[in-house]
């Protein structure tokens, strides 16, 4: 399927940037070192962390460990706000790159048949696909990018992105905030937040379906 060229294109771009950056694109190997590295930016640690998360739109950067560390540094609430906002921006960048291709670019890249399949899929499952893609991250985030090739309204895409970005960011951030002092609390909070995330997906999807 030619639509798989989309993730391949982003991986090629990321690989070229990594190759060009060389040894300068190296990061700490564990959370403790990562925390010290971010805190080395003093009051700008949040900006350095945000840049890491946003950069994950094109590069293989450790966005989840970054949000986890934001929780260690700023606490669960502020770490989640920082992480969720940066994750939203990262998703919008990927979506916007695909949208910028336009219809002609999309047809050239994926072909008429795959584009029609994508339109049909996102018309029915678009909100859930984008929300889950942003929530899970990694390869699943290409579900957000492909939405840029479809007529899916920006308002719907944006709502789906924040639905996926903020709950998972708060989950990772609170895990970080309580991982040292109270690991049990961290696990319980993570489970509760995941359940709330699932409930939120269902609620927003149900309301969207009722409005259409």
């Amino acid at each position: 399927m030619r639509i798989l060229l989309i993730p391949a294109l982003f991986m090629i771009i990321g690989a070229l940037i990594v190759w060009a950056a060389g040894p300068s694109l190296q990061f700490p190997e564990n959370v403790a070192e990562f925390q010290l590295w971010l805190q080395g930016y003093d009051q700008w640690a949040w900006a350095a962390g945000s840049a890491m998360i946003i950069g994950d739109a094109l590069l293989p950067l450790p966005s989840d460990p970054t949000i986890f560390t934001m929780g260690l540094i700023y606490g669960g609430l502020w770490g989640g706000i920082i992480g969720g906002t940066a994750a939203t921006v990262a998703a919008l960048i990927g979506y916007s790159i695909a949208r910028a291709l336009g219809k002609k670019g999309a047809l050239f890249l994926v072909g008429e048949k795959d584009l029609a399949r994508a339109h049909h899929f996102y018309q029915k499952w678009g909100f859930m696909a984008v929300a889950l893609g942003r929530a899970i991250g990694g390869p699943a985030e290409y579900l957000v990018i492909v939405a840029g090739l479809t007529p899916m309204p920006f308002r719907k895409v944006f709502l789906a992105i924040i639905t996926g970005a903020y709950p998972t960011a708060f989950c990772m951030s609170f895990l970080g905030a309580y991982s040292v002092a109270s690991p049990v609390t961290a696990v319980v909070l993570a489970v509760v937040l995941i359940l709330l995330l699932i409930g939120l997906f269902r609620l927003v999807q149900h309301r969207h379906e009722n409005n259409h």
Side-chain angles (χ1 to χ4, degrees):
M1 296 176 66
R2 286 173 60 181
I3 202 165
L4 295 178
L5 289 173
I6 299 296
L9 177 63
F10 274 76
M11 285 188 285
I12 290 171
I13 293 173
L16 288 173
I17 295 174
V18 170
W19 175 78
S24 63
L25 199 65
Q26 293 182 353
F27 304 102
E29 297 180 356
N30 56 62
V31 172
E33 291 181 2
F34 199 58
Q35 182 180 1
L36 289 174
W37 181 74
L38 284 175
Q39 288 178 323
Y41 289 93
D42 297 322
Q43 69 268 29
W44 296 104
W46 65 271
S50 295
M52 290 283 289
I53 299 165
I54 294 171
D56 193 37
L58 291 175
L59 298 172
L61 298 179
S63 56
D64 285 343
T66 302
I67 298 174
F68 184 93
T69 308
M70 290 290 99
L72 281 169
I73 297 173
Y74 294 105
L77 177 61
W78 282 107
I81 292 173
I82 294 169
T85 302
T88 297
V89 173
L92 288 173
I93 289 174
Y95 166 82
S96 298
I97 291 173
R99 177 66 80 182
L101 290 172
K103 186 176 180 179
K104 289 184 178 179
L107 283 171
F108 174 78
L109 191 62
V110 304
E112 187 174 353
K113 184 181 292 185
D114 276 8
L115 191 60
R117 288 174 178 171
H119 286 188
H120 178 74
F121 176 82
Y122 278 86
Q123 185 177 13
K124 186 174 182 180
W125 303 105
F127 183 91
M128 188 65 70
V130 172
L132 285 175
R134 177 58 275 184
I136 297 171
E141 196 168 349
Y142 292 115
L143 290 169
V144 181
I145 295 170
V146 174
L149 302 178
T150 74
M152 187 174 171
F154 175 77
R155 180 177 175 275
K156 182 178 177 182
V157 172
F158 181 70
L159 181 60
I161 288 174
I162 62 175
T163 299
Y166 281 96
T168 49
F170 280 117
C171 180
M172 290 301 300
S173 182
F174 274 100
L175 272 173
Y178 289 95
S179 60
V180 177
S182 181
V184 175
T185 302
V187 173
V188 171
L189 277 172
V191 172
V192 170
L193 286 170
I194 289 171
L195 292 175
L196 289 174
L197 174 63
I198 294 172
L200 181 61
F201 279 168
R202 291 181 175 178
L203 175 63
V204 177
Q205 178 72 6
H206 177 70
R207 288 186 174 180
H208 174 75
E209 289 174 350
N210 286 342
N211 291 334
H212 293 76

